[in-house]
Each structure stands twice: as structure tokens, then as C-alpha cells.
Amino acid sequence: MAAAFSIRQADYQSASDAAALVMLLDAYASDPAGGGEPLSDFAKTHLVRELAARPQAYSVLAFEGEAPVGLVNCIEGFSSFACKPLVNVHDVAVLATHRGRGIAEAMLAEAERIAVGRGAIKMTLEVLSGNAPAMRLYQRAGYAGYQLDPAMGSAQFLQKWL
């Protein structure tokens, strides 16, 4: 029988939640799906304080007993067309030893519950095209490609480093 896990919103003021968040994000960053590089010392030291300083940010943690096993970071944005908030799921991380147990799906459901409570009209996320397990998860959770008019094609996620 699989061990039970619990899901809840992170408390950025809690030292144990802060440590869990940094540990989980570092594990994700170190994974090939997260770029294969651990977090910088700067990020490890400042991340939770910087998230806490932004009222538009929230995180969801998953625990197996007392052990942290999963993380979702969310950042609220704004839909100018709808004139309402939206939420970008910025990070989804589950320890490799705990994948395939429904933890990410449960965390996404909690992130969605919080987003609805904030009045958000949609959630967005990006996924690497080669990450088939994540793509299947997001499709199960109701995510789909973004487009306004099919004749104009699907949206592409781009970046520019500053």
C-alpha cells in the first residue's frame, strides 16, 4: 500500500516550510527536466524571502509524513482581455523517488483551489516538449495548448535574458 501524503499551502514565514521549498526546488533544478544545474547559493539564501515579499506569489507543498516530497510555485499575473487575475504555475517538482503517485496532480488541484479563491480566471504553465510524463499530467489536469484563433496557430513560450 502506498504511503499517504498531505498537501497544503506553504507558509513562507515557517523555517521548516522555507527549508522544504529550497530543498525541493534545488532537487528540481538539478534534474534534467529542471535544467540540470543546482540552485545558486544566492537563490538558496534569498528565494523564500523574495517570494514572501511578493503578495502575488504562493507555493504548495506535499509531504509524506513529515518529509517534503513535492512543490508547486505559482505567480499571479493579470489577463488584460478579461481584466481579471490569472495564475502562472511556475514550478512543479516532485522528488524522483515519489513520482507517479498522484502528488503533482494533487498539488495542482490545491494550487487551482487557491487561484479560484483569488478570483483568477485561468492558470497557465510551460512545459518542455520532451517532458512527456509532465505533458500527460498537465493534460489530465485539464491544461491544453493556448490559441485565440486556430488560423493564427498556437502560442509559443519565448524568453530573453536581461
Side-chain angles (χ1 to χ4, degrees), residues 35-145:
E37 295 287 331
L39 294 178
S40 68
D41 289 340
F42 177 85
K44 288 177 185 177
T45 301
H46 296 92
L47 177 63
V48 176
R49 181 179 71 214
E50 291 298 324
L51 286 170
R54 288 162 173 77
Q56 70 273 26
Y58 65 92
S59 301
V60 173
L61 292 169
F63 296 87
E64 182 176 57
E66 297 295 315
V69 298
L71 165 70
V72 169
N73 283 324
C74 296
I75 310 289
E76 183 180 304
F78 188 75
S79 169
S80 55
F81 284 12
C83 193
K84 294 188 181 231
L86 60 83
V87 171
N88 178 257
V89 177
H90 194 68
D91 303 298
V92 177
V94 175
L95 294 178
T97 55
H98 288 73
R99 293 178 186 155
R101 298 186 193 182
I103 294 169
E105 204 161 353
M107 290 189 300
L108 287 170
E110 177 64 5
E112 183 177 329
R113 185 193 67 74
I114 295 166
V116 168
R118 289 171 165 245
I121 58 148
K122 73 176 177 178
M123 295 182 74
T124 63
L125 56 77
E126 57 268 3
V127 59
L128 295 173
S129 60
N131 193 343
M135 184 60 84
R136 287 190 299 273
L137 160 69
Y138 300 143
Q139 289 170 338
R140 273 194 322 273
Y143 290 84

